[in-house]
Amino acid sequence: MTYPTVMSTPLSEAEVVQALQRLTQWQRSGDRLARTYRFKDFIDAFGWMSSVALVAESMNHHPEWRNVYATVEVELTTHDAGGITDRDLELAKAMDRLAADRAS
C-alpha cells in the first residue's frame, strides 16, 4: 500500500465529522483523533504496536501512544499541519486493520 508522504492541510470540521462516521471507535480530542485499543495481554498489545510501527515508519507519520499491559491509548495529529489530516485518517485505518487481523 502506498501512503502520502508530503505534508497535508488540516481537514475541515465537516471532513473530520464525516471521517469519524467511518472510524466508529475513534473520537476527536481537540486537534487529534483518539482511540483506546484493548488486547488479550501485553505480548499481543506490543506485537500490534510493532506492526503499527512498521506502517507508521513507511508513512513517515508516527502516533503518540501509551501502553499499559494490554491497553494502548493512541492519539493522531499532524503537527506540522496543525491538526487532523488525511495522513491521520490513513494511519487510523491501518491501525484498525492490524487490530482486526489480531482478533481473527
Side-chain angles (χ1 to χ4, degrees):
M1 183 171 282
T2 304
Y3 297 101
T5 56
V6 296
M7 187 183 90
S8 302
T9 56
L11 298 173
S12 70
E13 181 65 26
E15 290 170 319
V16 172
V17 168
Q18 184 178 25
L20 288 173
Q21 291 174 354
R22 293 184 305 277
L23 295 169
T24 57
Q25 296 186 48
W26 289 83
Q27 8 179 305
R28 183 176 194 158
S29 178
D31 66 346
R32 300 161 186 268
L33 297 177
R35 178 170 177 193
T36 299
Y37 291 90
R38 289 182 175 57
F39 298 92
K40 67 181 179 185
D41 56 28
F42 176 74
I43 294 297
D44 198 37
F46 197 84
W48 174 81
M49 291 175 73
S50 296
S51 298
V52 170
L54 296 172
V55 172
E57 184 64 19
S58 75
M59 295 175 68
N60 192 29
H61 191 55
H62 307 96
E64 295 180 27
W65 52 13
R66 179 174 183 268
N67 168 237
V68 177
Y69 188 64
T71 301
V72 182
E73 297 169 350
V74 177
E75 289 186 342
L76 300 176
T77 191
T78 304
H79 296 284
D80 47 356
I84 300 167
T85 67
D86 286 331
R87 295 175 74 196
D88 301 303
L89 300 180
E90 289 306 311
L91 186 52
K93 290 175 198 173
M95 292 173 138
D96 286 350
R97 278 192 303 273
L98 290 166
D101 289 348
R102 288 194 162 284
S104 339

